[in-house]
Amino acid sequence: MAGTSRGSTRSRASKSSTENPQIRNPNQIQRKDKTRNNSLIRIFSVNLKLLIGFGIIAFAIALFFIYTLINPMEKPQKPRVITPLPAPKLMDLPMFQGEHRESLYWGTYRPQVYFGVRARTPQSLVAGLMWLGVKNERYFMRHVCQDSDELKQYGWTSHNGRDYGYQVLSEQTMTLTTSFLKSKDHGSGYGGDWAVRIGVQSDESVPDEEMLNTAHLFFYVADESGKSLTLGSRVLDIHGDSILASGSRSDIGDWQLHLFSEDVSGVHYSGFKTPHIHNLSDLVQANLAVQARQFGHLQLSDSSDDSPNILVFQISSRVPFKADIVFLSGTNTRDSRVEERASRLTGTSLTSLFSEKQKEFDNKFKKRFILSDELGLEPVTVGKAALGNMLGGIGYFFGQSKISLPSTSTLNSGDNSVLYWPAELYTAVPSRPFFPRGFLWDEGFHQLLIWRWDVYISLDIIGHWLDLMNIDGWIPRELILGAEALSKVPEEFVLQHPTNGNPPTLFLALRDLISKLKKEKFAATEARDISVFLDRAFVRLEAWFKWFNTTQAGKEMGSYYWHGRDTATTREINPKTLSSGLDDYPRASHPSEDERHVDLRCWMRLAADSMHSIAELLKMDKDIKNEYSSTAKLLSDFELLNKMHLDTANGAYCDYGNHTEKVQLTWKIVETGSNYPRREFVREVLDKPVLQLVPHFGYVSLFPFILRLIPPDSWILESQLDLISNKSILWTDFGLRSLSKTSSMYMKRNTEHDPPYWRGPIWIPLNYLIVSSLHHYSQEPGPYRERAKTVYNELRSNLIRNIVGNYKRTGYLWEQYDQKKGKGKGARLFTGWTATVLLIMAEAYHEV
């Protein structure tokens, strides 16, 4: 916002043995030749040869062992970067086992598809939905979330993160709904049962044509482990409740998949044997194409590969119709009550359960996020969609990340990468169609929302991330685990670099939890479990903090800079700082070790202060508390901060580094070593860079304000409020732009192919942090209190109005918003950190 491992084997040469010559029994020789004078000499001669031979062999063996001890055989050393931190795992805590683990075993944990279910285990049984959409009188398969499908709207309007969700998917000619529900009933297997009701309605404006008024759905079940599935005996003759498929697994026992529908009269099927579940839609389309060419109908072949591990069922009917699909686990137990359980999860009984769950969701939402009546009904709808999509977008992934090897590595793999250990990740995702995987710095913003809804889900997610830490304290900033996740990522973005960090935003959520614990805002059981979690997490958080404090430290005491900028590029007008999370936000024109990044300094202050607070809460050793207290105090030093980063002429905070403003991109003829020179868009430096404050004002400049390091009576606070509210700098009627209009990099491309990203557009997570601090300063006594309150109210109102207005027009929350007209830009259905708009609506702000 993973690849196959290679190994080498070592073979030893085996020693060949030769037959020993026959040796006669010495006693026999003695007896036989007793009268001969030279008998003793002969015996001694034979024994001497044997002794010498054995002595040589023994000496050789001894030398071999001595040599081995002194020079042990070289073994391939595992690189530190793929060595896990030797500390107890958070996921092994009792709070994440037992009932908690079972209650979250099944879920809609496949955010990359429009509807998918899986268990939180590697090699899971998975299920999902496809359908045929119609555009320009042609059919198109819908399965994986993608913008090119051009759905008018889709997403969860309600989801509780545990056992219920309601989703709307609006096609060009019809609307589908998926209602999901889990049930742990007497007789069910591990994780319980689940049901999904699929409803299809046609748009009123659609002509009464067969193609437009017949829906073709494809529901599938697949076993990632490759175990074969059994087809139901009455699949081709569906009446009422019928078994579509069944199977058996070690985790849940025997299972059955049922279909119940009064509207559907027939089902077609196809079975596949393949380990590649991520390209299932291609297999289905190929099957349909063969049938259409040979027989002229749009239906699956009613055939199967031998021992299929995937079964796909085509449900076709005139619109409108609905179908209930029920998954039952543990159907082989003596008291499994299969019919009773299936009946409870279909028909009117299921309707009642959905109604109860929706009411519970609405009531909990109202309690957890208190929205003023002044906002009206539309923001409430948007707020529920923001939360629902955040929780409905939580995924489970398993696999190995591809990690860049350090340049000092001696591992002879023939590659510049190595695989991380096999790991699982339970995480929210930024965007189901564009970024359906884990992003470390996004996750901290996600948890600001999730912990307020369900603190155990939040701790579960944070714990999974911290368990991915290696022995050095590094966590990959982007997790691409498993074939489905990999299929959405271009190869050049797969590799993760262990020298590069990402903002430690998990401390935002942890800081909130610590603050609420101190204020006794949690129930007794929750408070105890959070404390236990923090106690176990401390060693990992400490390793993480020390990784930042050593690898990202600058030359000056109390300074830091983001590593990973390209010092040799000729293509970028300003080398990106991907590790900062702000990508192309302009920094010093010439990356160097002299850089000082003000945002990272502030993140480190948040981390140090949070570590000190955790140590205090857990009554840890005085030395530990003092260590973090002194670091937090150093990074809170207002005079030192100003000395390093303040532009006193403008009252603005800036990065520091080797910089010149005289840089541009120009077309040049570049010699390529062949007979054909190439015309390229390259960087041209027109003036020698010098060490100075970098004169770009934007989100980065506001980090001391965001972290509330500015005293409420300081003139600098007034300057910050002036800069924020100035329309020629950051202020717009839709939110604060990311970079000042006065910047030389404002809305400039970074390369020929990279349009401006963090160089003007409005981003909601940073606006949330700024609004939070405006609210803070509006409550603090001081000469600028009323000014802060005025700016706060206007900015909050602008953000809510624009985001709600865009949602009403487009049906989506967006990655970013245009700074000129407020229109949604970038990825849509971006219900990761853009969902923090709900916190702005509820005035639920982070603690610092």
Side-chain angles (χ1 to χ4, degrees):
M1 178 289 347
T4 59
S5 61
R6 293 190 180 129
S8 60
T9 58
R10 200 182 285 266
S11 61
R12 293 182 181 175
S14 60
K15 295 181 180 179
S16 61
S17 60
T18 59
E19 292 187 12
N20 292 325
Q22 276 195 332
I23 302 175
R24 290 185 292 172
N25 189 323
N27 292 327
Q28 288 179 339
I29 298 173
Q30 275 188 316
R31 285 195 297 270
K32 194 171 182 179
D33 301 315
K34 197 171 183 181
T35 59
R36 297 178 65 174
N37 293 332
N38 61 352
S39 62
L40 289 175
I41 296 174
R42 279 187 186 170
I43 294 167
F44 181 77
S45 175
V46 172
N47 285 340
L48 184 61
K49 290 177 180 177
L50 285 171
L51 287 171
I52 291 172
F54 281 124
I56 291 171
I57 293 171
F59 183 70
I61 292 171
L63 282 177
F64 173 77
F65 280 113
I66 292 169
Y67 178 82
T68 303
L69 288 171
I70 297 173
N71 300 295
M73 292 181 67
E74 288 188 13
K75 295 181 180 178
Q77 295 294 312
K78 180 191 287 188
R80 285 182 63 85
V81 69
I82 58 169
T83 303
L85 184 76
K89 284 194 167 188
L90 286 154
M91 286 302 98
D92 292 336
L93 282 170
M95 74 176 75
F96 299 128
Q97 305 301 314
E99 185 179 342
H100 171 86
R101 182 172 179 81
E102 185 175 6
S103 69
L104 290 174
Y105 194 63
W106 289 106
T108 54
Y109 301 140
R110 300 177 64 211
Q112 65 273 29
V113 297
Y114 288 114
F115 177 82
V117 180
R118 68 165 295 133
R120 276 177 51 172
T121 184
Q123 303 296 298
S124 170
L125 193 70
V126 302
L129 174 69
M130 303 181 221
W131 73 92
L132 290 178
V134 178
K135 182 181 177 183
N136 298 328
E137 298 184 349
R138 294 180 61 192
Y139 287 114
F140 294 88
M141 182 64 77
R142 314 297 198 207
H143 180 212
V144 177
C145 299
Q146 49 191 12
D147 214 34
S148 59
D149 287 343
E150 297 183 351
L151 268 64
K152 291 190 288 186
Q153 180 181 13
Y154 68 95
W156 299 96
T157 59
S158 306
H159 203 298
N160 65 10
R162 288 185 174 269
D163 58 11
Y164 169 70
Y166 179 77
Q167 181 178 215
V168 177
L169 305 116
S170 296
E171 270 280 7
Q172 299 299 321
T173 59
M174 63 183 179
T175 298
L176 288 80
T177 58
T178 60
S179 304
F180 175 74
L181 184 132
K182 278 169 35 182
S183 171
K184 179 59 177 173
D185 211 347
H186 179 69
S188 61
Y190 187 80
D193 309 324
W194 53 262
V196 56
R197 172 170 290 171
I198 305 167
V200 187
Q201 294 278 345
S202 61
D203 290 354
E204 295 180 0
S205 58
V206 172
D208 188 17
E209 299 176 9
E210 182 73 17
M211 187 178 191
L212 300 178
N213 285 279
T214 299
H216 301 280
L217 310 181
F218 302 86
F219 197 88
Y220 61 88
V221 61
D223 195 313
E224 290 181 324
S225 69
K227 290 196 69 172
S228 62
L229 312 180
T230 302
L231 186 69
S233 58
R234 295 173 51 201
V235 168
L236 298 178
D237 186 25
I238 295 291
H239 293 290
D241 178 14
S242 296
I243 298 176
L244 294 176
S246 60
S248 182
R249 287 177 56 91
S250 59
D251 53 348
I252 58 174
D254 288 0
W255 58 267
Q256 295 176 356
L257 187 72
H258 292 242
L259 169 66
F260 177 86
S261 178
E262 296 178 349
D263 304 322
V264 177
S265 58
V267 169
H268 296 281
Y269 73 92
S270 189
F272 304 97
K273 177 70 174 177
T274 175
H276 305 298
I277 294 174
H278 65 278
N279 64 356
L280 178 56
S281 51
D282 295 336
L283 296 176
V284 173
Q285 289 183 89
N287 187 286
L288 288 171
V290 170
Q291 291 295 108
R293 284 196 302 268
Q294 292 183 356
F295 306 106
H297 28 223
L298 194 65
Q299 62 185 48
L300 292 176
S301 60
D302 294 329
S303 63
S304 174
D305 296 343
D306 292 336
S307 303
N309 65 314
I310 303 174
L311 289 173
V312 183
F313 302 96
Q314 180 179 354
I315 305 167
S316 300
S317 182
R318 290 280 296 181
V319 178
F321 75 89
K322 65 181 178 182
D324 296 340
I325 296 174
V326 182
F327 176 85
L328 302 176
S329 61
T331 57
N332 58 329
T333 60
R334 179 180 297 179
D335 192 23
S336 59
R337 300 164 49 251
V338 170
E339 290 185 7
E340 183 180 337
R341 284 158 54 199
S343 175
R344 184 171 180 269
L345 293 176
T346 56
T348 56
S349 176
L350 182 61
T351 301
S352 297
L353 291 173
F354 283 142
S355 179
E356 290 172 15
K357 287 295 180 181
Q358 183 63 48
K359 187 179 291 185
E360 288 176 11
F361 175 84
D362 292 338
N363 290 338
K364 185 175 181 178
F365 179 88
K366 192 173 183 179
K367 182 179 179 181
R368 295 298 171 92
F369 303 100
I370 302 171
L371 305 187
S372 168
D373 292 338
E374 296 177 0
L375 291 176
L377 295 177
E378 286 182 351
V380 174
T381 300
V382 175
K384 287 180 178 179
L387 176 67
N389 275 303
M390 173 78 78
L391 296 168
I394 292 174
Y396 173 89
F397 308 92
F398 182 86
Q400 293 178 268
S401 290
K402 195 173 183 180
I403 308 298
S404 172
L405 278 171
S407 58
T408 56
S409 174
T410 58
L411 189 69
N412 183 22
S413 66
D415 194 1
N416 67 339
S417 66
V418 66
L419 293 180
Y420 225 43
W421 61 87
E424 60 180 358
L425 180 65
Y426 174 63
T427 182
V429 303
S431 171
R432 289 169 62 192
F434 285 90
F435 308 109
R437 55 192 179 275
F439 285 79
L440 180 56
W441 103 284
D442 295 58
E443 199 60 66
F445 289 99
H446 299 163
Q447 297 317 308
L448 289 173
L449 202 67
I450 293 175
W451 82 255
R452 288 175 165 84
W453 177 261
D454 190 319
V455 72
Y456 287 101
I457 290 179
S458 184
L459 293 177
D460 201 338
I461 291 173
I462 294 172
H464 271 87
W465 276 100
L466 293 179
D467 279 349
L468 287 163
M469 186 175 293
N470 75 5
I471 194 170
D472 294 320
W474 175 75
I475 306 173
R477 71 184 189 90
E478 183 177 347
L479 269 295
I480 309 162
L481 305 178
E484 280 196 308
L486 270 171
S487 67
K488 298 282 287 184
V489 185
E491 178 62 29
E492 61 266 29
F493 298 115
V494 171
L495 200 64
Q496 300 296 298
H497 300 276
T499 55
N500 300 352
N502 226 198
T505 55
L506 294 181
F507 280 110
L508 290 172
L510 293 173
R511 181 74 187 185
D512 274 2
L513 294 177
I514 297 162
S515 176
K516 300 303 179 187
L517 274 177
K518 290 179 177 179
K519 296 176 182 177
E520 299 183 348
K521 297 294 184 180
F522 291 107
T525 302
E526 290 177 334
R528 182 199 65 216
D529 287 342
I530 294 169
S531 296
V532 169
F533 178 90
L534 292 172
D535 187 46
R536 167 91 44 113
F538 192 85
V539 65
R540 293 180 178 274
L541 294 172
E542 185 168 50
W544 198 26
F545 178 88
K546 288 182 176 178
W547 181 87
F548 273 104
N549 208 35
T550 54
T551 68
Q552 310 293 297
K555 285 186 174 180
E556 301 286 333
M557 174 71 74
S559 71
Y560 299 88
Y561 72 99
W562 296 108
H563 285 48
R565 300 185 72 203
D566 189 344
T567 59
T569 181
T570 59
R571 304 293 180 85
E572 299 177 73
I573 191 171
N574 189 279
K576 290 190 291 292
T577 316
L578 294 173
S579 53
S580 73
L582 303 177
D583 296 16
D584 68 343
Y585 186 96
R587 308 282 181 162
S589 62
H590 290 67
S592 70
E593 294 181 355
D594 293 302
E595 284 189 90
R596 301 198 292 258
H597 292 150
V598 65
D599 55 331
L600 181 52
R601 187 183 195 278
C602 292
W603 284 123
M604 291 305 296
R605 189 268 179 187
L606 171 68
D609 197 53
S610 298
M611 292 298 291
H612 174 250
S613 296
I614 296 171
E616 274 196 327
L617 182 75
L618 299 176
K619 297 182 171 63
M620 288 186 164
D621 186 82
K622 185 178 179 181
D623 290 342
I624 296 175
K625 289 189 282 189
N626 288 343
E627 177 185 353
Y628 289 107
S629 175
S630 60
T631 303
K633 186 176 181 180
L634 171 69
L635 297 177
S636 301
D637 188 317
F638 192 52
E639 288 186 12
L640 182 60
L641 169 68
N642 293 342
K643 181 180 177 182
M644 285 185 172
H645 291 286
L646 182 65
D647 174 2
T648 53
N650 297 301
Y653 290 99
C654 304
D655 286 341
Y656 177 88
N658 202 26
H659 183 76
T660 176
E661 285 286 277
K662 300 293 181 67
V663 182
Q664 64 185 22
L665 289 175
T666 58
W667 289 103
K668 286 189 175 182
I669 303 299
V670 178
E671 297 294 335
T672 61
S674 65
N675 295 327
Y676 303 99
R678 190 169 59 240
R679 187 169 179 261
E680 292 184 356
F681 204 43
V682 296
R683 180 165 100 147
E684 184 178 21
V685 180
L686 304 175
D687 197 7
K688 184 180 179 180
V690 295
L691 289 173
Q692 60 175 299
L693 291 174
V694 181
H696 298 298
F697 185 74
Y699 288 163
V700 164
S701 313
L702 292 174
F703 265 81
F705 176 82
I706 288 170
L707 268 291
R708 302 162 198 178
L709 299 177
I710 304 170
D713 59 353
S714 170
W715 67 270
I716 298 173
L717 177 60
E718 182 181 28
S719 295
Q720 297 279 291
L721 294 173
D722 288 341
L723 293 166
I724 288 171
S725 58
N726 190 329
K727 289 187 176 183
S728 297
I729 300 178
L730 295 184
W731 188 270
T732 79
D733 292 337
F734 318 106
L736 298 183
R737 57 173 68 90
S738 46
L739 186 63
S740 170
K741 288 175 69 175
T742 61
S743 169
S744 61
M745 292 292 165
Y746 176 70
M747 292 306 292
K748 279 193 176 179
R749 305 182 72 86
N750 200 49
T751 71
E752 177 186 357
H753 304 291
D754 290 340
Y757 200 47
W758 289 85
R759 295 184 178 179
I762 297 162
W763 293 79
I764 304 309
L766 271 297
N767 271 269
Y768 166 76
L769 295 179
I770 295 163
V771 166
S772 298
S773 290
L774 283 168
H775 182 266
H776 165 79
Y777 283 114
S778 73
Q779 309 293 312
E780 289 288 301
Y784 313 112
R785 179 176 180 174
E786 289 304 313
R787 176 83 187 283
K789 186 175 182 179
T790 299
V791 177
Y792 164 73
N793 286 331
E794 289 184 19
L795 179 57
R796 174 175 176 264
S797 177
N798 288 347
L799 288 164
I800 294 171
R801 184 182 66 254
N802 188 58
I803 294 170
V804 171
N806 267 274
Y807 185 86
K808 185 178 179 181
R809 287 190 300 274
T810 68
Y812 294 101
L813 295 181
W814 293 79
E815 181 182 16
Q816 53 181 227
Y817 293 86
D818 180 72
Q819 72 279 11
K820 291 182 178 179
K821 298 184 178 180
K823 184 180 178 181
K825 295 176 61 178
R828 61 179 187 172
L829 194 65
F830 202 95
T831 43
W833 58 25
T834 299
T836 53
V837 66
L838 173 57
L839 301 178
I840 296 173
M841 292 175 183
E843 297 185 281
Y845 301 121
H846 71 284
E847 303 282 344
V848 172

